[in-house]
C-alpha cells in the first residue's frame, strides 16, 4: 500500500515539473495555434544546458535561467524558419528538433550527463530544509507552476499578449489591425520553448541526470496534459456553471499534467511495462482528439443538443 | 487622398494559370470621396482593394495614401492608415475573444502594443457608447465571445472596429454580400451613417447596382483590370441600373445573374 502511495506522490511531483512544459505547449499549440514540434528537442536542451552548467560550477538556480535562454533561442530558430523563410511550421519544428539532437550531444559532450555528487536545486533545498527529496520537488514545482500561471495570466492580458492571442485566433484580422503577425509568432515560440526548456532543466535536476532522449515524446505528453485538463474543466463548467477564464485554462493544463502522471503511475502499478507507455499516451491523445467526431456521430447526443 | 498610378498586377506570371488582374490602373480619390466600385467577376475590384491594403504588392506603378508612398509598405505597417471590412464576416473579428477585446485590438490600430493592460475602463465606456449606436444590443454583451454573434452582428462590429480609430481610407470589400437582405440593408445604413459622421474617404465594392447608385458620391466601373467608367455628383444621382447595364455591355462585359438579380 505504501508503495502505491509513494508512487502517487512521485507522480504528482513529476506531473507538476512536467506541467511547465505543458504550459509551453499550451502557448504554441493552443494560444498561437502553431503546431510547434521543437518541444522534444528544446526540453532535452534545457536539461542538457542546466546539467552542464552545474558541472561547470554555475549556481543550479542560475543554470535554470541559462536553460530558459537556450530554449528561447531554439524556439526563435523555428519561428524564423517558419515566418521569414516560409517553411511550414510543422516541418520547421521538426527540423529544429532534429538539429537539436546533435546540438544537445555537443552541449554535453556525450549522450547523457549524470549529476552525481554535485548540488542541484533539490539537494540545496534539502540541505536547507532537511525535508524529503520528493516533498521538496513537490513544493518547488507548486511554487514555480503557481508563479508561471500568475505571470502568463498577466502577460496574455496585456496589449502585446492580446495581440498574440488574436494572432492565434484570426491572423488576417490582426494584420489588418496593424500587428506584425510574424513578430507575434516569434515571441510566442520564444516564450513557449523557454518554458519547455525550464521544465527540462527542472526534470533533469530532480532526476539527477540529463539525457539526449529525455524529451522524446514530450510534445504528445504536453498535448495529453492539455486535453485531460480540458475534459476535466469542461465537466466542471457544466456542473458549476462558471465562465472559463484564461486563468482557468492555464490551471487546467497543470491539473491535466498531474492527472496524466497519475494515470501512468496507476497503469504501471497494474503491471504494464514502462516501454508500453508511449503506446498508451498516443492512444489517450488520439482518443481524446477523436472524441468530438465520435460524439457527433452518435444519434443520442444529437438529440440532446436539439432538446437543449 | 488616395492615388493609384499606373499599377499592374499579374498572378502566376509565366505559368499556364497566368492572370493579368490589374492592367494600368489609375485612380485618384479626393478627401471625403465615398466611391462605390462595380464590375463583373474578375474585373479586378477585390485585387484593387487588396493592392491598396497591401495583401500583396503591385508589380509596377505607385500607390500613395495621404501623401505617403505605400507601394512597398507591408500590410501591417500601412494598416495604421486603413480601416477594412471583408466579405466574409468571419475574417474581420476574432471569434474566441470577447467583444471588448476585439474592440481593444482595433482601438490600438497603428499604435505600439506594450505591456500595459489590454482593455482599460475608460475604453470600456467608449466601446459601450459606440456599440449602443449600432442599436443591436451588443453594448450589454461586451464580455461575450464574438463567435456567439450572427454574421450581421459580426459585420456591424467589424465596421465599428474599422472606424474606431479614424482611418484615412475605409476599404469595404462587398461587406454585405454574405448577409441576408434585411441585415445587409441595416449594415449598409450603418455604413452610410458612420462614413457621413466622420466624413471618411471610402472605397466600397458592391455587386448590387442599386446600392452602387444609391450610396456614395462617386461610382466607378471596372473591367479587365482598369477603370472604364467614372461618374460623380449630380450625374451619378441620375443614373439608373439600366444605364449601368448598357455601359457594361458596351465594354464587352458579361452581365452575371447576380448583378441582374441584385
Amino acid at each position: 500500500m505504501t508503495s502505491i502511495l509513494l508512487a502517487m506522490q512521485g507522480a504528482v511531483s513529476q506531473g507538476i515539473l512536467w506541467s511547465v512544459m505543458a504550459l509551453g505547449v499550451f502557448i504554441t499549440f493552443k494560444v498561437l495555434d502553431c503546431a510547434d514540434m521543437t518541444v522534444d528537442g528544446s526540453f532535452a536542451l534545457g536539461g542538457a544546458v542546466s546539467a552542464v552548467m552545474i558541472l561547470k560550477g554555475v549556481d543550479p538556480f542560475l543554470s535554470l535561467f541559462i536553460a530558459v535562454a537556450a530554449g528561447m533561442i531554439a524556439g526563435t530558430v523555428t519561428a524564423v524558419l517558419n515566418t521569414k523563410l516560409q517553411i511550414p511550421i510543422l516541418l520547421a519544428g521538426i527540423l529544429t528538433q532534429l538539429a537539436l539532437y546533435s546540438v544537445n550531444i555537443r552541449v554535453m559532450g556525450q549522450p547523457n550527463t549524470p549529476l552525481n555528487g554535485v548540488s542541484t536545486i533539490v539537494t540545496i533545498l534539502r540541505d536547507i530544509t532537511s525535508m524529503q527529496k520528493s516533498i521538496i520537488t513537490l513544493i518547488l514545482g507548486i511554487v514555480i507552476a503557481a508563479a508561471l500561471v500568475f505571470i502568463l495570466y498577466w502577460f496574455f492580458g496585456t496589449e502585446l499578449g492580446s495581440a498574440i492571442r488574436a494572432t492565434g485566433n484570426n491572423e488576417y484580422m490582426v494584420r489588418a489591425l496593424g500587428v506584425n503577425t510574424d513578430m507575434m509568432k516569434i515571441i510566442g515560440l520564444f516564450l513557449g520553448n523557454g518554458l519547455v526548456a525550464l521544465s527540462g532543466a527542472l526534470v533533469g535536476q530532480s532526476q539527477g541526470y540529463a539525457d539526449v532522449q529525455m524529451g522524446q515524446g514530450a510534445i504528445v505528453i504536453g498535448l495529453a496534459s492539455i486535453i485531460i485538463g480540458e475534459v476535466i474543466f469542461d465537466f466542471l463548467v457544466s456542473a458549476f456553471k462558471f465562465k472559463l477564464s484564461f486563468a482557468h485554462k492555464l490551471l487546467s493544463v497543470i491539473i491535466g499534467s498531474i492527472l496524466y502522471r497519475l494515470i501512468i503511475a496507476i497503469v504501471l502499478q497494474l503491471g504494464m511495462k514502462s516501454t508500453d507507455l508511449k503506446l498508451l499516451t498516443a492512444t489517450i491523445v488520439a482518443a481524446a482528439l477523436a472524441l468530438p467526431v465520435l460524439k457527433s456521430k452518435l444519434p443520442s447526443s444529437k438529440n440532446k443538443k436539439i432538446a437543449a | 487622398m488616395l492615388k493609384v498610378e499606373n499599377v499592374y498586377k499579374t498572378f502566376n506570371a509565366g505559368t499556364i494559370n497566368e492572370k493579368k488582374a490589374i492592367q494600368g490602373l489609375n485612380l485618384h480619390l479626393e478627401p471625403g470621396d465615398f466611391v462605390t466600385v462595380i464590375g463583373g467577376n474578375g474585373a479586378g475590384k477585390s485585387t484593387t482593394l487588396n493592392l491598396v491594403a497591401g495583401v500583396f504588392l503591385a508589380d509596377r506603378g505607385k500607390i500613395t495614401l495621404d501623401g505617403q508612398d505605400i507601394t512597398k509598405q507591408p500590410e501591417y505597417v500601412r494598416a495604421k492608415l486603413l480601416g477594412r471590412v471583408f466579405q466574409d464576416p468571419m475574417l474581420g473579428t476574432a471569434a474566441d475573444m470577447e467583444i471588448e477585446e476585439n474592440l481593444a485590438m482595433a482601438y490600438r490600430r497603428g499604435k505600439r502594443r506594450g505591456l500595459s493592460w489590454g482593455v482599460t475602463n475608460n475604453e470600456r465606456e467608449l466601446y459601450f457608447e459606440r456599440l449602443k449606436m449600432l442599436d443591436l444590443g451588443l453594448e450589454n454583451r461586451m464580455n461575450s465571445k464574438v463567435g456567439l454573434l450572427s454574421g450581421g452582428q459580426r459585420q456591424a462590429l467589424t465596421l465599428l472596429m474599422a472606424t474606431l480609430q479614424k482611418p484615412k481610407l475605409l476599404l469595404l470589400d462587398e461587406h454585405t454580400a454574405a448577409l441576408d437582405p434585411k441585415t445587409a440593408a441595416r449594415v449598409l445604413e450603418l455604413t452610410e451613417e458612420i462614413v457621413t459622421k466622420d466624413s471618411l474617404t471610402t472605397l466600397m465594392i458592391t455587386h448590387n447596382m442599386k446600392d452602387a447608385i444609391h450610396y456614395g458620391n462617386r461610382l466607378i466601373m471596372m473591367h479587365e483590370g482598369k477603370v472604364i467608367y467614372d461618374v460623380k455628383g449630380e450625374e451619378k444621382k441620375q443614373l439608373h441600373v439600366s444605364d449601368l447595364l448598357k455601359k457594361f455591355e458596351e465594354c464587352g462585359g458579361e452581365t452575371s445573374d447576380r448583378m441582374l438579380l441584385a
Side-chain angles (χ1 to χ4, degrees):
Chain A
M1 194 62 202
T2 44
S3 76
I4 296 177
L5 281 178
L6 269 178
M8 293 296 140
Q9 195 201 6
V12 173
S13 323
Q14 281 297 301
I16 291 186
L17 293 188
W18 281 79
S19 74
V20 174
M21 181 274 300
L23 283 173
V25 175
F26 176 75
I27 293 175
T28 51
F29 265 74
K30 284 286 173 177
V31 176
L32 204 56
D33 198 22
C34 269
D36 173 29
M37 306 296 284
T38 318
V39 175
D40 290 18
S42 49
F43 187 85
L45 177 68
V49 167
S50 171
V52 166
M53 285 297 146
I54 291 172
L55 287 179
K56 289 234 153 87
V58 174
D59 181 87
F61 287 95
L62 182 63
S63 81
L64 293 180
F65 289 96
I66 301 170
V68 170
M72 286 174 159
I73 294 170
T76 309
V77 169
T78 303
V80 169
L81 288 176
N82 174 232
T83 56
K84 303 295 174 199
L85 303 175
Q86 306 273 311
I87 298 171
I89 183 65
L90 211 54
L91 188 56
I94 290 171
L95 290 176
T96 313
Q97 187 198 108
L98 183 71
L100 280 173
Y101 185 88
S102 304
V103 171
N104 290 340
I105 293 178
R106 277 275 172 195
V107 167
M108 295 189 285
Q110 58 205 22
N112 54 59
T113 301
L115 288 168
N116 299 330
V118 289
S119 18
T120 65
I121 41 173
V122 182
T123 62
I124 291 174
L125 290 172
R126 185 190 58 196
D127 294 345
I128 297 171
T129 59
S130 62
M131 280 191 290
Q132 262 184 1
K133 232 174 139 180
S134 61
I135 303 279
I136 289 168
T137 317
L138 187 63
I139 295 172
L140 181 72
I142 291 173
V143 169
I144 292 176
L148 285 176
V149 166
F150 186 77
I151 293 169
L152 291 177
Y153 178 72
W154 164 76
F155 177 73
F156 284 104
T158 63
E159 295 174 333
L160 182 63
S162 301
I164 294 175
R165 278 189 297 139
T167 303
N169 209 234
N170 184 350
E171 206 179 318
Y172 205 79
M173 150 194 148
V174 177
R175 224 177 294 127
L177 294 178
V179 176
N180 183 349
T181 48
D182 283 357
M183 193 43 88
M184 296 304 116
K185 287 182 190 169
I186 292 172
I187 297 173
L189 291 180
F190 173 85
L191 288 178
N193 282 290
L195 289 180
V196 171
L198 173 61
S199 183
L202 289 168
V203 168
Q205 291 199 34
S206 81
Q207 68 191 12
Y209 66 92
D211 187 293
V212 72
Q213 305 278 7
M214 70 191 282
Q216 208 186 57
I219 186 78
V220 185
I221 294 170
L223 284 177
S225 308
I226 293 168
I227 291 166
I228 294 170
E230 268 178 359
V231 171
I232 300 293
F233 269 73
D234 278 353
F235 171 75
L236 289 178
V237 165
S238 61
F240 298 104
K241 308 273 177 247
F242 63 93
K243 198 173 163 231
L244 196 67
S245 74
F246 194 73
H248 290 132
K249 286 185 188 169
L250 293 170
L251 204 59
S252 82
V253 175
I254 290 167
I255 290 170
S257 173
I258 295 170
L259 286 175
Y260 169 79
R261 289 291 157 184
L262 283 173
I263 294 169
I264 297 292
I266 289 167
V267 296
L268 283 177
Q269 288 288 327
L270 292 176
M272 198 181 223
K273 277 188 173 174
S274 63
T275 44
D276 291 335
L277 289 179
K278 286 193 166 49
L279 175 65
L280 178 73
T281 310
T283 311
I284 292 175
V285 172
L289 290 176
L291 209 60
V293 180
L294 295 176
K295 254 189 186 169
S296 69
K297 286 194 174 152
L298 287 174
S300 63
S301 65
K302 253 184 207 165
N303 295 340
K304 255 188 229 160
K305 251 182 209 162
I306 293 164
Chain B
M1 183 56 74
L2 172 73
K3 245 190 218 167
V4 178
E5 292 167 278
N6 207 23
V7 163
Y8 286 80
K9 180 71 193 176
T10 304
F11 293 106
N12 306 315
T15 72
I16 195 158
N17 291 321
E18 184 172 286
K19 166 93 183 109
K20 288 185 172 139
I22 299 293
Q23 307 179 58
L25 178 72
N26 284 291
L27 185 61
H28 188 173
L29 264 60
E30 297 295 334
D33 263 357
F34 182 175
V35 182
T36 55
V37 187
I38 54 170
N41 292 328
K45 309 183 298 290
S46 283
T47 308
T48 303
L49 247 62
N50 286 331
L51 281 170
V52 173
V55 177
F56 30 72
L57 299 179
D59 298 336
R60 265 166 64 193
K62 190 175 168 191
I63 305 173
T64 6
L65 181 57
D66 195 33
Q68 283 184 52
D69 183 352
I70 59 165
T71 319
K72 300 245 183 291
Q73 257 182 20
E75 186 180 358
Y76 75 90
V77 176
R78 60 175 97 176
K80 62 172 164 284
L81 305 170
L82 297 166
R84 288 163 69 192
V85 186
F86 315 100
Q87 181 172 354
D88 181 354
M90 304 300 140
L91 279 186
T93 44
D96 291 338
M97 293 173 79
E98 296 170 3
I99 293 180
E100 67 171 31
E101 287 180 308
N102 272 272
L103 285 162
M105 288 293 305
Y107 190 59
R108 286 164 180 74
R109 181 166 53 79
K111 295 186 176 157
R112 223 184 68 86
R113 285 161 215 260
L115 292 178
S116 40
W117 202 242
V119 195
T120 66
N121 278 328
N122 286 344
E123 286 169 41
R124 282 196 183 95
E125 283 171 33
L126 172 78
Y127 302 157
F128 185 87
E129 291 306 317
R130 293 292 178 93
L131 285 168
K132 222 168 155 182
M133 277 174 29
L134 295 183
D135 202 17
L136 295 169
L138 295 182
E139 67 273 16
N140 299 317
R141 301 173 61 186
M142 277 169 49
N143 292 109
S144 295
K145 295 266 159 74
V146 169
L148 298 171
L149 306 185
S150 69
Q153 288 172 327
R154 282 180 80 159
Q155 221 47 344
L157 179 63
T158 311
L159 189 63
L160 193 63
M161 285 165 62
T163 53
L164 202 54
Q165 285 291 339
K166 191 179 165 182
K168 297 290 175 195
L169 177 66
L170 179 61
L171 298 174
L172 308 170
D173 188 357
E174 290 195 59
H175 66 309
T176 59
L179 307 176
D180 66 81
K182 201 177 151 212
T183 317
R186 175 75 189 120
V187 170
L188 270 177
E189 263 172 49
L190 277 172
T191 307
E192 192 175 39
E193 244 175 75
I194 291 173
V195 168
T196 315
K197 182 172 69 76
D198 288 342
S199 45
L200 298 173
T201 313
T202 304
L203 207 50
M204 175 172 97
I205 299 180
T206 176
H207 254 106
N208 186 317
M209 297 212 183
K210 264 192 227 147
D211 289 341
I213 294 167
H214 182 259
Y215 292 97
N217 66 328
R218 186 173 161 194
L219 179 150
I220 63 174
M221 187 187 282
M222 289 190 69
H223 183 65
E224 290 181 345
K226 273 191 208 125
V227 174
I228 54 161
Y229 186 48
D230 188 340
V231 54
K232 57 182 128 188
E234 275 309 307
E235 197 188 340
K236 171 179 181 282
K237 280 186 199 152
Q238 307 300 325
L239 277 176
H240 286 282
V241 172
S242 55
D243 300 330
L244 289 180
L245 285 176
K246 214 171 110 202
K247 192 85 202 160
F248 198 71
E249 274 155 12
E250 273 172 28
C251 310
E254 283 171 46
T255 41
S256 67
D257 291 347
R258 215 170 134 206
M259 297 171 79
L260 290 171
L261 287 170

